[in-house]
Amino acid sequence: MNIREIELPGIGYKFEIITRNKDKLVIVIHDDGRREIYHFDADDYDEVVSSVTLSDQEARQIAGIIGGMAYKPKALETVEFAFDDLIIEWFQVEPNAPAVNKKIGDLDIRNRFGITVIAIKKKHSQKSHNPGPNTLIEAGDTLVMSGERQQIKEIINQLLSNKE
């Protein structure tokens, strides 16, 4: 992730953020405590897709939620306990990852990693439940996988993450 901090004299600070998935966010923190968050079009970093203005208190509450301080999913604890090391993980395929523009079958995911891709949410909202070996993996797709924690970590590191 790339974060650039810019002082805005008389206003506050601006943080420009480019995530690993190439999403652009701009956060402006005003001297009076207000926060503005802008989300930009993935294909045009000059085009704002959405924005929100938050009070200081709202921003701090949301920061706690995002940081994991306010919510710990009980259902996941139960699932992990019931199935021991078997977990279900969602991961968005990063641009330039080794799996981009390859078919599930060609990557031999089940045999190489011991995991199952149980669904794919395509970048432009098309869904594929129980995708077959001919399903093409594209940058921005979100794969829903089941397997052991270490196996899922391996496929994310080896095939789904950008190695650059």
Side-chain angles (χ1 to χ4, degrees):
M1 182 163 64
N2 183 20
I3 302 174
R4 196 172 98 193
E5 182 179 336
I6 303 159
E7 184 176 1
L8 302 173
I11 297 172
Y13 279 88
K14 176 170 94 171
F15 297 86
E16 291 184 1
I17 303 164
I18 305 293
T19 68
R20 284 178 29 174
N21 290 329
K22 305 298 181 206
D23 289 314
K24 179 182 177 183
L25 297 171
V26 170
I27 301 171
V28 178
I29 302 177
H30 292 263
D31 289 336
D32 66 4
R34 282 180 300 130
R35 278 31 167 227
E36 295 173 337
I37 303 173
Y38 299 91
H39 178 234
F40 290 80
D41 187 307
D43 298 321
D44 182 1
Y45 281 172
D46 294 325
E47 184 69 28
V48 175
V49 174
S50 62
S51 67
V52 64
T53 301
L54 303 166
S55 70
D56 181 66
Q57 182 180 2
E58 291 169 328
R60 291 176 187 280
Q61 287 176 322
I62 290 172
I65 292 168
I66 291 173
M69 294 170 34
Y71 175 69
K72 183 176 182 181
K74 296 291 182 193
L76 290 180
E77 289 176 2
T78 305
V79 169
E80 287 181 22
F81 178 76
F83 296 106
D84 199 23
D85 289 333
L86 180 68
I87 63 167
I88 296 174
E89 181 73 51
W90 290 257
F91 189 83
Q92 186 176 34
V93 179
E94 297 177 0
N96 302 314
V100 170
N101 295 326
K102 295 198 171 88
K103 294 178 183 176
I104 290 174
D106 294 340
L107 293 169
D108 200 21
I109 290 172
R110 187 172 294 163
N111 290 325
R112 284 178 61 196
F113 298 95
I115 66 119
T116 302
V117 178
I118 56 178
I120 296 178
K121 175 157 183 330
K122 300 304 250 176
K123 184 176 181 181
H124 299 291
S125 74
Q126 175 187 351
K127 297 172 190 158
S128 175
H129 300 286
N130 195 22
N134 292 324
T135 303
L136 189 68
I137 297 173
E138 299 173 289
D141 288 355
T142 299
L143 272 61
V144 182
M145 304 167 286
S146 68
E148 292 184 8
R149 188 176 308 279
Q150 184 58 37
Q151 295 167 321
I152 289 179
K153 185 177 177 182
E154 287 174 15
I155 191 171
I156 288 171
N157 290 336
Q158 293 180 30
L159 292 183
L160 307 179
S161 298
N162 184 349
K163 299 237 178 192
E164 295 177 0

